[in-house]
Amino acid sequence: MQSHLSADYIYCDTPAALESALPTLRSSPALSFDCEGHNLGRLNGSLSLLTFRTMFPSPDATNTTFIIDALTLPASSLLPIFSLLESDTVLKVVFDGRMDFSCLLHQHAVRLQHVLDLQLVDIASRARRGEGEHAQMARLARVVSWADLAANRGAYRSIHRLAGLRPCAEEHKVAIPPRGAYMDHSAWLQRPLSARELTYAANDVLIISRVYAAFAAAAYLERYPSVLADSMRYISLWADRPPAEGALERYRSHGLLPLHVIDVDTEAEDQERDRDVALRVCGYCERALPQTCFRADVWDRGDVRQCLVCRAVGLFHPRFDAARAGLRWPPRV
Ligand SMILES: [Zn+2]
């Protein structure tokens, strides 16, 4: 569903404009939030815009989008915005906040906190909407090896396909503004920004706000009590280092939800820690994971220990596993 309502916004590219936006931003109980930039969150990437939309719950309230120009504003005037991002009282609502988190942490020493990631709520809503294992596998069929999916169904039961923001909004019948022309992401570093670019940024937080409202109305949020803890686990995927060219990025950037983000039994893991049964590191995505994330035959296998998601990624992209092992792909016959 598409609506021809486009987002309006207040563009803050002077300290005075930002100063006058702060009281409204601080008083909103929740803010939809998104960043734009060139190679955002990646090693040597750059932040361009921080975009927020207020989410006052009253039907009479007017909500406003603020686009904050992180490239033009002096670093000192961004400090109140950074403390809002680190605040544990104002909820930040995002859709796939992983690269925003990485950018803020690695380039600005800001640790994004108190976040609700709607991309996880979308996945959790699938079971609520009556989707069973068959539908879960049907979603996976285009992004994993079909032959392996058919032969080893059990290896995919804990794997979920991620949806992008617009497809998610469409699936949930949320009215969204039309997609603009293709944006070259290096354009985010040029100034002045055109109205088209600012509208693009404003539309993303508008869609996030509408998806949030739809999920709240459908009671998906209240039925997902661990959503904030799961969101933090998810967005901090790149807390150890920012993504850069190489094997690690290939096994962490794909269309599958990483394991050990949702359905985490923290109580059982605390007990296991007490018994000194440690998590073990997947040799591919380099994440520490419990035994349930691996096939039984690889749990004791050190460097070649491969979690179920990395296994699915490697089987779908055999050149990834070949490159990691230093082999030519396709193999010479
Ligand atoms: Zn892995």
Side-chain angles (χ1 to χ4, degrees), residues 28-291:
S28 181
L31 293 166
S32 56
F33 168 60
D34 190 37
C35 295
E36 304 293 350
H38 180 52
N39 291 332
L40 186 83
R42 302 186 72 247
L43 189 70
N44 303 322
S46 302
L47 175 64
S48 170
L49 301 176
L50 297 149
T51 309
F52 297 91
R53 184 168 174 84
T54 60
M55 294 209 278
F56 292 104
S58 155
D60 303 326
T62 308
N63 284 303
T64 313
T65 296
F66 296 94
I67 302 179
I68 296 161
D69 193 329
L71 213 58
T72 304
L73 283 161
S76 59
S77 59
L78 290 172
L79 293 177
I81 290 298
F82 289 160
S83 69
L84 203 58
L85 293 171
E86 291 187 322
S87 145
D88 57 9
T89 52
V90 178
L91 181 70
K92 275 71 64 178
V93 180
V94 302
F95 194 95
D96 191 353
R98 292 175 292 176
M99 296 308 253
D100 309 278
F101 181 95
S102 174
C103 165
L104 289 164
L105 180 67
H106 297 298
Q107 279 151 16
H108 301 275
V110 172
R111 197 170 185 94
L112 182 58
Q113 281 192 75
H114 199 38
V115 171
L116 189 153
D117 199 315
L118 295 173
Q119 202 173 31
L120 300 184
V121 184
D122 170 48
I123 288 171
S125 79
R126 293 174 188 168
R128 302 259 170 241
R129 287 180 277 152
E131 275 197 29
E133 190 178 298
H134 183 76
Q136 180 190 352
M137 300 300 155
R139 285 182 189 268
L140 289 174
R142 284 192 198 166
V143 290
V144 302
S145 156
W146 190 86
D148 189 58
L149 185 65
N152 293 302
R153 208 173 166 97
Y156 292 86
R157 288 204 177 97
S158 58
I159 302 181
H160 298 274
R161 185 175 177 185
L162 296 165
L165 175 58
R166 280 178 179 269
C168 168
E170 282 168 3
E171 188 176 316
H172 290 271
K173 300 188 168 42
V174 173
I176 54 173
R179 191 189 290 273
Y182 170 74
M183 283 284 304
D184 172 4
H185 282 248
S186 64
W188 291 120
L189 301 186
Q190 291 159 22
R191 293 295 182 273
L193 289 167
S194 67
R196 185 174 76 89
E197 286 148 358
L198 293 170
T199 301
Y200 180 100
N203 279 343
D204 278 356
V205 289
L206 179 68
I207 299 171
I208 291 171
S209 294
R210 289 182 179 174
V211 171
Y212 179 79
F215 285 180
Y220 296 150
L221 302 172
E222 66 192 63
R223 290 182 188 169
Y224 188 175
S226 63
V227 66
L228 297 183
D230 292 3
S231 296
M232 284 314 299
R233 262 193 297 276
Y234 185 46
I235 66 169
S236 59
L237 183 81
W238 293 103
D240 55 345
R241 74 196 99 159
E245 289 291 325
L248 183 63
E249 181 168 21
R250 290 196 286 272
Y251 290 101
R252 282 198 198 172
S253 300
H254 44 66
L256 305 176
L257 177 67
L259 296 169
H260 205 238
V261 167
I262 61 170
D263 301 327
V264 175
D265 186 346
T266 46
E267 220 165 274
E269 280 179 21
D270 286 346
Q271 283 172 9
E272 289 207 337
R273 222 163 280 135
D274 290 345
R275 296 204 322 267
D276 204 21
V277 184
L279 304 176
R280 294 190 181 170
V281 174
C282 167
Y284 292 70
C285 63
E286 300 182 18
R287 297 177 63 231
L289 300 167
Q291 192 164 3

